[in-house]
Amino acid sequence: MTPLSLSENPFVVDPRQSLTARQRQIIWHVDMFTVKKRSGDYFGAGECIGASTVRSLKKHGLVKEVLVNGRWILRLTELGKMALDQINQKAKAL
C-alpha cells in the first residue's frame, strides 16, 4: 500500500470528519501540555489519556512517543501538527 499524499490524507484534509471529538481533544492537549506515560496510560495537566486512544493516534501517525530525561512523553508528529492547524482553522471559521 502506498502512503497517501498530504492532499489526500483524511487527517489533514478534514480531521473533524476523520477523528473523534476525544481524539481531536487529545491532539490539542498533547500540543499544549507535557503528557507523560505512567502505568500504561498517559497523564498531563490532570487528565488521563487511555493507552488505546494513544495507540490509535500513533497508528494514524499523529503522535509519537519520545524519551526525555528517562520518561516517555507524547509529541505531535508533523502530520499531527497539520491536523491541529486544520482543526483550529475550521473552529475559527465557525
Side-chain angles (χ1 to χ4, degrees), residues 5-75:
S5 71
L6 290 178
S7 63
E8 297 172 333
N9 192 308
F11 304 108
V12 173
V13 175
D14 195 0
R16 288 178 114 29
Q17 287 287 341
S18 306
L19 300 170
T20 66
R22 179 70 175 145
Q23 288 172 324
R24 292 191 306 268
Q25 179 186 24
I26 291 169
I27 288 173
W28 177 84
H29 202 81
V30 169
D31 186 54
M32 295 298 292
F33 304 105
T34 300
V35 178
K36 299 176 186 175
K37 186 175 187 177
R38 196 171 48 187
S39 303
D41 288 326
Y42 298 80
F43 296 86
E47 184 160 352
C48 177
I49 302 169
S52 62
T53 306
V54 171
R55 271 194 305 272
S56 174
L57 292 172
K58 284 171 57 178
K59 180 179 141 192
H60 297 315
L62 301 172
V63 298
K64 62 184 175 183
E65 288 180 296
V66 179
L67 189 62
V68 176
N69 296 330
R71 292 192 157 231
W72 289 103
I73 63 170
L74 289 180
R75 298 278 185 192

